[in-house]
PDB file of all heavy atoms in Angstrom:
ATOM      1  N   CYS A  33      -4.461  -9.253  -5.477  1.00  0.00           N
ATOM      2  CA  CYS A  33      -3.974  -8.748  -4.212  1.00  0.00           C
ATOM      3  C   CYS A  33      -3.358  -7.366  -4.463  1.00  0.00           C
ATOM      4  O   CYS A  33      -2.645  -7.162  -5.439  1.00  0.00           O
ATOM      5  CB  CYS A  33      -2.936  -9.716  -3.658  1.00  0.00           C
ATOM      6  SG  CYS A  33      -2.405  -9.325  -2.011  1.00  0.00           S
ATOM      7  N   MET A  34      -3.648  -6.431  -3.590  1.00  0.00           N
ATOM      8  CA  MET A  34      -3.135  -5.073  -3.716  1.00  0.00           C
ATOM      9  C   MET A  34      -2.274  -4.746  -2.502  1.00  0.00           C
ATOM     10  O   MET A  34      -2.458  -5.333  -1.429  1.00  0.00           O
ATOM     11  CB  MET A  34      -4.299  -4.071  -3.795  1.00  0.00           C
ATOM     12  CG  MET A  34      -5.305  -4.355  -4.889  1.00  0.00           C
ATOM     13  SD  MET A  34      -4.608  -4.216  -6.546  1.00  0.00           S
ATOM     14  CE  MET A  34      -4.139  -2.492  -6.567  1.00  0.00           C
ATOM     15  N   GLY A  35      -1.350  -3.803  -2.683  1.00  0.00           N
ATOM     16  CA  GLY A  35      -0.481  -3.504  -1.553  1.00  0.00           C
ATOM     17  C   GLY A  35       0.059  -2.092  -1.578  1.00  0.00           C
ATOM     18  O   GLY A  35       0.057  -1.417  -2.612  1.00  0.00           O
ATOM     19  N   TRP A  36       0.504  -1.651  -0.440  1.00  0.00           N
ATOM     20  CA  TRP A  36       1.225  -0.394  -0.275  1.00  0.00           C
ATOM     21  C   TRP A  36       2.626  -0.709   0.242  1.00  0.00           C
ATOM     22  O   TRP A  36       2.781  -1.487   1.187  1.00  0.00           O
ATOM     23  CB  TRP A  36       0.523   0.534   0.723  1.00  0.00           C
ATOM     24  CG  TRP A  36      -0.701   1.186   0.189  1.00  0.00           C
ATOM     25  CD1 TRP A  36      -1.999   0.784   0.358  1.00  0.00           C
ATOM     26  CD2 TRP A  36      -0.761   2.376  -0.597  1.00  0.00           C
ATOM     27  NE1 TRP A  36      -2.863   1.641  -0.269  1.00  0.00           N
ATOM     28  CE2 TRP A  36      -2.122   2.633  -0.873  1.00  0.00           C
ATOM     29  CE3 TRP A  36       0.197   3.266  -1.103  1.00  0.00           C
ATOM     30  CZ2 TRP A  36      -2.543   3.729  -1.626  1.00  0.00           C
ATOM     31  CZ3 TRP A  36      -0.218   4.350  -1.845  1.00  0.00           C
ATOM     32  CH2 TRP A  36      -1.583   4.578  -2.099  1.00  0.00           C
ATOM     33  N   PHE A  37       3.617  -0.093  -0.398  1.00  0.00           N
ATOM     34  CA  PHE A  37       5.003  -0.250  -0.028  1.00  0.00           C
ATOM     35  C   PHE A  37       5.603   1.132   0.173  1.00  0.00           C
ATOM     36  O   PHE A  37       5.041   2.130  -0.272  1.00  0.00           O
ATOM     37  CB  PHE A  37       5.765  -1.004  -1.119  1.00  0.00           C
ATOM     38  CG  PHE A  37       5.300  -2.424  -1.294  1.00  0.00           C
ATOM     39  CD1 PHE A  37       4.143  -2.709  -2.015  1.00  0.00           C
ATOM     40  CD2 PHE A  37       5.998  -3.480  -0.739  1.00  0.00           C
ATOM     41  CE1 PHE A  37       3.693  -4.017  -2.167  1.00  0.00           C
ATOM     42  CE2 PHE A  37       5.563  -4.797  -0.892  1.00  0.00           C
ATOM     43  CZ  PHE A  37       4.406  -5.055  -1.603  1.00  0.00           C
ATOM     44  N   ARG A  38       6.750   1.203   0.818  1.00  0.00           N
ATOM     45  CA  ARG A  38       7.419   2.482   0.988  1.00  0.00           C
ATOM     46  C   ARG A  38       8.927   2.298   0.910  1.00  0.00           C
ATOM     47  O   ARG A  38       9.447   1.224   1.174  1.00  0.00           O
ATOM     48  CB  ARG A  38       7.027   3.137   2.310  1.00  0.00           C
ATOM     49  CG  ARG A  38       7.488   2.395   3.559  1.00  0.00           C
ATOM     50  CD  ARG A  38       6.896   3.042   4.812  1.00  0.00           C
ATOM     51  NE  ARG A  38       7.301   2.357   6.029  1.00  0.00           N
ATOM     52  CZ  ARG A  38       6.816   2.640   7.231  1.00  0.00           C
ATOM     53  NH1 ARG A  38       5.910   3.607   7.370  1.00  0.00           N
ATOM     54  NH2 ARG A  38       7.244   1.970   8.283  1.00  0.00           N
ATOM     55  N   GLN A  39       9.583   3.374   0.526  1.00  0.00           N
ATOM     56  CA  GLN A  39      11.041   3.361   0.468  1.00  0.00           C
ATOM     57  C   GLN A  39      11.570   4.715   0.904  1.00  0.00           C
ATOM     58  O   GLN A  39      11.227   5.739   0.295  1.00  0.00           O
ATOM     59  CB  GLN A  39      11.550   3.022  -0.929  1.00  0.00           C
ATOM     60  CG  GLN A  39      13.054   2.827  -0.980  1.00  0.00           C
ATOM     61  CD  GLN A  39      13.519   2.157  -2.261  1.00  0.00           C
ATOM     62  OE1 GLN A  39      12.812   2.155  -3.265  1.00  0.00           O
ATOM     63  NE2 GLN A  39      14.705   1.566  -2.229  1.00  0.00           N
ATOM     64  N   ALA A  40      12.367   4.697   1.950  1.00  0.00           N
ATOM     65  CA  ALA A  40      13.008   5.907   2.445  1.00  0.00           C
ATOM     66  C   ALA A  40      14.390   6.022   1.825  1.00  0.00           C
ATOM     67  O   ALA A  40      14.981   5.007   1.424  1.00  0.00           O
ATOM     68  CB  ALA A  40      13.104   5.859   3.964  1.00  0.00           C
ATOM     69  N   PRO A  41      14.938   7.238   1.737  1.00  0.00           N
ATOM     70  CA  PRO A  41      16.272   7.407   1.155  1.00  0.00           C
ATOM     71  C   PRO A  41      17.306   6.536   1.868  1.00  0.00           C
ATOM     72  O   PRO A  41      17.380   6.527   3.093  1.00  0.00           O
ATOM     73  CB  PRO A  41      16.558   8.896   1.368  1.00  0.00           C
ATOM     74  CG  PRO A  41      15.210   9.522   1.420  1.00  0.00           C
ATOM     75  CD  PRO A  41      14.333   8.517   2.099  1.00  0.00           C
ATOM     76  N   GLY A  42      18.081   5.796   1.087  1.00  0.00           N
ATOM     77  CA  GLY A  42      19.126   4.962   1.656  1.00  0.00           C
ATOM     78  C   GLY A  42      18.652   3.670   2.273  1.00  0.00           C
ATOM     79  O   GLY A  42      19.454   2.923   2.848  1.00  0.00           O
ATOM     80  N   LYS A  43      17.359   3.397   2.167  1.00  0.00           N
ATOM     81  CA  LYS A  43      16.817   2.176   2.758  1.00  0.00           C
ATOM     82  C   LYS A  43      16.171   1.310   1.676  1.00  0.00           C
ATOM     83  O   LYS A  43      15.814   1.782   0.606  1.00  0.00           O
ATOM     84  CB  LYS A  43      15.798   2.514   3.842  1.00  0.00           C
ATOM     85  CG  LYS A  43      16.391   3.209   5.062  1.00  0.00           C
ATOM     86  CD  LYS A  43      15.349   3.367   6.150  1.00  0.00           C
ATOM     87  CE  LYS A  43      15.943   4.001   7.395  1.00  0.00           C
ATOM     88  NZ  LYS A  43      14.944   4.145   8.487  1.00  0.00           N
ATOM     89  N   GLU A  44      16.008   0.030   2.002  1.00  0.00           N
ATOM     90  CA  GLU A  44      15.348  -0.875   1.079  1.00  0.00           C
ATOM     91  C   GLU A  44      13.836  -0.653   1.102  1.00  0.00           C
ATOM     92  O   GLU A  44      13.277  -0.148   2.077  1.00  0.00           O
ATOM     93  CB  GLU A  44      15.665  -2.324   1.461  1.00  0.00           C
ATOM     94  CG  GLU A  44      17.120  -2.708   1.278  1.00  0.00           C
ATOM     95  CD  GLU A  44      17.357  -4.186   1.517  1.00  0.00           C
ATOM     96  OE1 GLU A  44      16.412  -4.890   1.897  1.00  0.00           O
ATOM     97  OE2 GLU A  44      18.496  -4.638   1.315  1.00  0.00           O
ATOM     98  N   ARG A  45      13.202  -1.051   0.001  1.00  0.00           N
ATOM     99  CA  ARG A  45      11.745  -0.982  -0.057  1.00  0.00           C
ATOM    100  C   ARG A  45      11.149  -1.892   1.005  1.00  0.00           C
ATOM    101  O   ARG A  45      11.626  -3.002   1.231  1.00  0.00           O
ATOM    102  CB  ARG A  45      11.274  -1.402  -1.439  1.00  0.00           C
ATOM    103  CG  ARG A  45       9.768  -1.348  -1.646  1.00  0.00           C
ATOM    104  CD  ARG A  45       9.426  -1.747  -3.063  1.00  0.00           C
ATOM    105  NE  ARG A  45       9.977  -3.038  -3.407  1.00  0.00           N
ATOM    106  CZ  ARG A  45      10.084  -3.509  -4.638  1.00  0.00           C
ATOM    107  NH1 ARG A  45       9.678  -2.772  -5.649  1.00  0.00           N
ATOM    108  NH2 ARG A  45      10.583  -4.708  -4.872  1.00  0.00           N
ATOM    109  N   GLU A  46      10.073  -1.433   1.613  1.00  0.00           N
ATOM    110  CA  GLU A  46       9.452  -2.150   2.725  1.00  0.00           C
ATOM    111  C   GLU A  46       7.952  -2.284   2.459  1.00  0.00           C
ATOM    112  O   GLU A  46       7.288  -1.327   2.060  1.00  0.00           O
ATOM    113  CB  GLU A  46       9.678  -1.369   4.020  1.00  0.00           C
ATOM    114  CG  GLU A  46       8.961  -1.929   5.227  1.00  0.00           C
ATOM    115  CD  GLU A  46       9.069  -1.027   6.441  1.00  0.00           C
ATOM    116  OE1 GLU A  46       8.982   0.205   6.279  1.00  0.00           O
ATOM    117  OE2 GLU A  46       9.219  -1.565   7.562  1.00  0.00           O
ATOM    118  N   GLY A  47       7.443  -3.479   2.676  1.00  0.00           N
ATOM    119  CA  GLY A  47       6.003  -3.671   2.600  1.00  0.00           C
ATOM    120  C   GLY A  47       5.335  -3.016   3.788  1.00  0.00           C
ATOM    121  O   GLY A  47       5.804  -3.163   4.916  1.00  0.00           O
ATOM    122  N   VAL A  48       4.255  -2.295   3.547  1.00  0.00           N
ATOM    123  CA  VAL A  48       3.532  -1.606   4.616  1.00  0.00           C
ATOM    124  C   VAL A  48       2.223  -2.330   4.928  1.00  0.00           C
ATOM    125  O   VAL A  48       1.944  -2.656   6.070  1.00  0.00           O
ATOM    126  CB  VAL A  48       3.245  -0.148   4.225  1.00  0.00           C
ATOM    127  CG1 VAL A  48       2.412   0.541   5.302  1.00  0.00           C
ATOM    128  CG2 VAL A  48       4.538   0.604   3.959  1.00  0.00           C
ATOM    129  N   ALA A  49       1.434  -2.576   3.884  1.00  0.00           N
ATOM    130  CA  ALA A  49       0.144  -3.238   4.068  1.00  0.00           C
ATOM    131  C   ALA A  49      -0.260  -3.889   2.758  1.00  0.00           C
ATOM    132  O   ALA A  49      -0.005  -3.345   1.687  1.00  0.00           O
ATOM    133  CB  ALA A  49      -0.920  -2.232   4.504  1.00  0.00           C
ATOM    134  N   THR A  50      -0.873  -5.061   2.858  1.00  0.00           N
ATOM    135  CA  THR A  50      -1.409  -5.733   1.683  1.00  0.00           C
ATOM    136  C   THR A  50      -2.829  -6.184   1.986  1.00  0.00           C
ATOM    137  O   THR A  50      -3.189  -6.378   3.155  1.00  0.00           O
ATOM    138  CB  THR A  50      -0.557  -6.935   1.256  1.00  0.00           C
ATOM    139  OG1 THR A  50      -0.469  -7.878   2.334  1.00  0.00           O
ATOM    140  CG2 THR A  50       0.848  -6.501   0.855  1.00  0.00           C
ATOM    141  N   ILE A  51      -3.610  -6.325   0.922  1.00  0.00           N
ATOM    142  CA  ILE A  51      -4.983  -6.776   1.091  1.00  0.00           C
ATOM    143  C   ILE A  51      -5.325  -7.694  -0.074  1.00  0.00           C
ATOM    144  O   ILE A  51      -5.050  -7.363  -1.231  1.00  0.00           O
ATOM    145  CB  ILE A  51      -5.956  -5.571   1.196  1.00  0.00           C
ATOM    146  CG1 ILE A  51      -7.374  -6.038   1.527  1.00  0.00           C
ATOM    147  CG2 ILE A  51      -5.922  -4.706  -0.060  1.00  0.00           C
ATOM    148  CD1 ILE A  51      -8.282  -4.897   1.994  1.00  0.00           C
ATOM    149  N   ASP A  52      -5.871  -8.862   0.224  1.00  0.00           N
ATOM    150  CA  ASP A  52      -6.106  -9.809  -0.858  1.00  0.00           C
ATOM    151  C   ASP A  52      -7.506  -9.641  -1.440  1.00  0.00           C
ATOM    152  O   ASP A  52      -8.263  -8.752  -1.021  1.00  0.00           O
ATOM    153  CB  ASP A  52      -5.834 -11.244  -0.398  1.00  0.00           C
ATOM    154  CG  ASP A  52      -6.864 -11.781   0.591  1.00  0.00           C
ATOM    155  OD1 ASP A  52      -7.881 -11.103   0.856  1.00  0.00           O
ATOM    156  OD2 ASP A  52      -6.648 -12.893   1.100  1.00  0.00           O
ATOM    157  N   SER A  53      -7.844 -10.494  -2.396  1.00  0.00           N
ATOM    158  CA  SER A  53      -9.120 -10.349  -3.098  1.00  0.00           C
ATOM    159  C   SER A  53     -10.322 -10.623  -2.198  1.00  0.00           C
ATOM    160  O   SER A  53     -11.435 -10.235  -2.535  1.00  0.00           O
ATOM    161  CB  SER A  53      -9.166 -11.288  -4.314  1.00  0.00           C
ATOM    162  OG  SER A  53      -9.000 -12.634  -3.904  1.00  0.00           O
ATOM    163  N   ASP A  54     -10.088 -11.278  -1.073  1.00  0.00           N
ATOM    164  CA  ASP A  54     -11.164 -11.493  -0.106  1.00  0.00           C
ATOM    165  C   ASP A  54     -11.287 -10.331   0.880  1.00  0.00           C
ATOM    166  O   ASP A  54     -12.152 -10.349   1.749  1.00  0.00           O
ATOM    167  CB  ASP A  54     -10.929 -12.778   0.696  1.00  0.00           C
ATOM    168  CG  ASP A  54     -11.283 -14.021  -0.104  1.00  0.00           C
ATOM    169  OD1 ASP A  54     -11.831 -13.884  -1.224  1.00  0.00           O
ATOM    170  OD2 ASP A  54     -11.019 -15.138   0.373  1.00  0.00           O
ATOM    171  N   GLY A  55     -10.386  -9.351   0.733  1.00  0.00           N
ATOM    172  CA  GLY A  55     -10.425  -8.204   1.632  1.00  0.00           C
ATOM    173  C   GLY A  55      -9.698  -8.407   2.936  1.00  0.00           C
ATOM    174  O   GLY A  55      -9.896  -7.638   3.884  1.00  0.00           O
ATOM    175  N   ASN A  56      -8.842  -9.423   2.997  1.00  0.00           N
ATOM    176  CA  ASN A  56      -8.087  -9.682   4.219  1.00  0.00           C
ATOM    177  C   ASN A  56      -6.816  -8.840   4.243  1.00  0.00           C
ATOM    178  O   ASN A  56      -5.970  -8.989   3.371  1.00  0.00           O
ATOM    179  CB  ASN A  56      -7.725 -11.161   4.309  1.00  0.00           C
ATOM    180  CG  ASN A  56      -8.949 -12.049   4.355  1.00  0.00           C
ATOM    181  OD1 ASN A  56      -9.848 -11.845   5.158  1.00  0.00           O
ATOM    182  ND2 ASN A  56      -9.003 -13.040   3.477  1.00  0.00           N
ATOM    183  N   PRO A  57      -6.663  -7.968   5.236  1.00  0.00           N
ATOM    184  CA  PRO A  57      -5.483  -7.104   5.294  1.00  0.00           C
ATOM    185  C   PRO A  57      -4.367  -7.693   6.147  1.00  0.00           C
ATOM    186  O   PRO A  57      -4.622  -8.468   7.077  1.00  0.00           O
ATOM    187  CB  PRO A  57      -6.029  -5.841   5.945  1.00  0.00           C
ATOM    188  CG  PRO A  57      -7.053  -6.357   6.916  1.00  0.00           C
ATOM    189  CD  PRO A  57      -7.650  -7.586   6.267  1.00  0.00           C
ATOM    190  N   THR A  58      -3.140  -7.315   5.825  1.00  0.00           N
ATOM    191  CA  THR A  58      -2.004  -7.609   6.679  1.00  0.00           C
ATOM    192  C   THR A  58      -1.140  -6.361   6.738  1.00  0.00           C
ATOM    193  O   THR A  58      -1.136  -5.545   5.805  1.00  0.00           O
ATOM    194  CB  THR A  58      -1.156  -8.791   6.156  1.00  0.00           C
ATOM    195  OG1 THR A  58      -0.770  -8.526   4.803  1.00  0.00           O
ATOM    196  CG2 THR A  58      -1.938 -10.095   6.204  1.00  0.00           C
ATOM    197  N   TYR A  59      -0.409  -6.213   7.834  1.00  0.00           N
ATOM    198  CA  TYR A  59       0.382  -5.009   8.074  1.00  0.00           C
ATOM    199  C   TYR A  59       1.768  -5.371   8.600  1.00  0.00           C
ATOM    200  O   TYR A  59       1.932  -6.365   9.313  1.00  0.00           O
ATOM    201  CB  TYR A  59      -0.298  -4.112   9.103  1.00  0.00           C
ATOM    202  CG  TYR A  59      -1.693  -3.668   8.726  1.00  0.00           C
ATOM    203  CD1 TYR A  59      -2.810  -4.397   9.129  1.00  0.00           C
ATOM    204  CD2 TYR A  59      -1.888  -2.530   7.954  1.00  0.00           C
ATOM    205  CE1 TYR A  59      -4.085  -3.995   8.777  1.00  0.00           C
ATOM    206  CE2 TYR A  59      -3.163  -2.114   7.604  1.00  0.00           C
ATOM    207  CZ  TYR A  59      -4.259  -2.852   8.010  1.00  0.00           C
ATOM    208  OH  TYR A  59      -5.519  -2.455   7.654  1.00  0.00           O
ATOM    209  N   VAL A  60       2.727  -4.526   8.272  1.00  0.00           N
ATOM    210  CA  VAL A  60       4.029  -4.643   8.918  1.00  0.00           C
ATOM    211  C   VAL A  60       3.857  -4.211  10.370  1.00  0.00           C
ATOM    212  O   VAL A  60       3.015  -3.359  10.679  1.00  0.00           O
ATOM    213  CB  VAL A  60       5.082  -3.778   8.180  1.00  0.00           C
ATOM    214  CG1 VAL A  60       4.789  -2.291   8.330  1.00  0.00           C
ATOM    215  CG2 VAL A  60       6.471  -4.118   8.653  1.00  0.00           C
ATOM    216  N   ASP A  61       4.622  -4.819  11.263  1.00  0.00           N
ATOM    217  CA  ASP A  61       4.428  -4.586  12.694  1.00  0.00           C
ATOM    218  C   ASP A  61       4.504  -3.108  13.065  1.00  0.00           C
ATOM    219  O   ASP A  61       3.773  -2.640  13.944  1.00  0.00           O
ATOM    220  CB  ASP A  61       5.471  -5.363  13.504  1.00  0.00           C
ATOM    221  CG  ASP A  61       5.180  -6.850  13.553  1.00  0.00           C
ATOM    222  OD1 ASP A  61       4.053  -7.251  13.191  1.00  0.00           O
ATOM    223  OD2 ASP A  61       6.076  -7.618  13.944  1.00  0.00           O
ATOM    224  N   SER A  62       5.361  -2.360  12.394  1.00  0.00           N
ATOM    225  CA  SER A  62       5.596  -0.970  12.784  1.00  0.00           C
ATOM    226  C   SER A  62       4.399  -0.053  12.545  1.00  0.00           C
ATOM    227  O   SER A  62       4.358   1.061  13.070  1.00  0.00           O
ATOM    228  CB  SER A  62       6.819  -0.415  12.058  1.00  0.00           C
ATOM    229  OG  SER A  62       6.612  -0.435  10.668  1.00  0.00           O
ATOM    230  N   VAL A  63       3.412  -0.504  11.755  1.00  0.00           N
ATOM    231  CA  VAL A  63       2.259   0.356  11.472  1.00  0.00           C
ATOM    232  C   VAL A  63       0.957  -0.210  12.023  1.00  0.00           C
ATOM    233  O   VAL A  63      -0.096   0.439  11.903  1.00  0.00           O
ATOM    234  CB  VAL A  63       2.101   0.626   9.957  1.00  0.00           C
ATOM    235  CG1 VAL A  63       3.406   1.130   9.358  1.00  0.00           C
ATOM    236  CG2 VAL A  63       1.600  -0.606   9.208  1.00  0.00           C
ATOM    237  N   LYS A  64       1.016  -1.375  12.611  1.00  0.00           N
ATOM    238  CA  LYS A  64      -0.209  -1.976  13.151  1.00  0.00           C
ATOM    239  C   LYS A  64      -0.840  -1.058  14.188  1.00  0.00           C
ATOM    240  O   LYS A  64      -0.174  -0.522  15.058  1.00  0.00           O
ATOM    241  CB  LYS A  64       0.105  -3.342  13.770  1.00  0.00           C
ATOM    242  CG  LYS A  64       0.342  -4.434  12.749  1.00  0.00           C
ATOM    243  CD  LYS A  64       0.640  -5.766  13.425  1.00  0.00           C
ATOM    244  CE  LYS A  64       0.879  -6.863  12.393  1.00  0.00           C
ATOM    245  NZ  LYS A  64       1.263  -8.149  13.021  1.00  0.00           N
ATOM    246  N   GLY A  65      -2.151  -0.892  14.073  1.00  0.00           N
ATOM    247  CA  GLY A  65      -2.864  -0.014  14.989  1.00  0.00           C
ATOM    248  C   GLY A  65      -2.859   1.440  14.563  1.00  0.00           C
ATOM    249  O   GLY A  65      -3.581   2.255  15.147  1.00  0.00           O
TER     250      GLY A  65
END
Side-chain angles (χ1 to χ4, degrees):
C33 187
M34 305 295 298
W36 285 97
F37 295 79
R38 66 187 179 187
Q39 187 165 20
K43 294 186 177 181
E44 293 186 356
R45 181 178 55 195
E46 174 187 40
V48 176
T50 58
I51 186 165
D52 70 6
S53 59
D54 283 353
N56 299 309
T58 54
Y59 302 92
V60 67
D61 286 346
S62 61
V63 308
K64 285 180 180 176

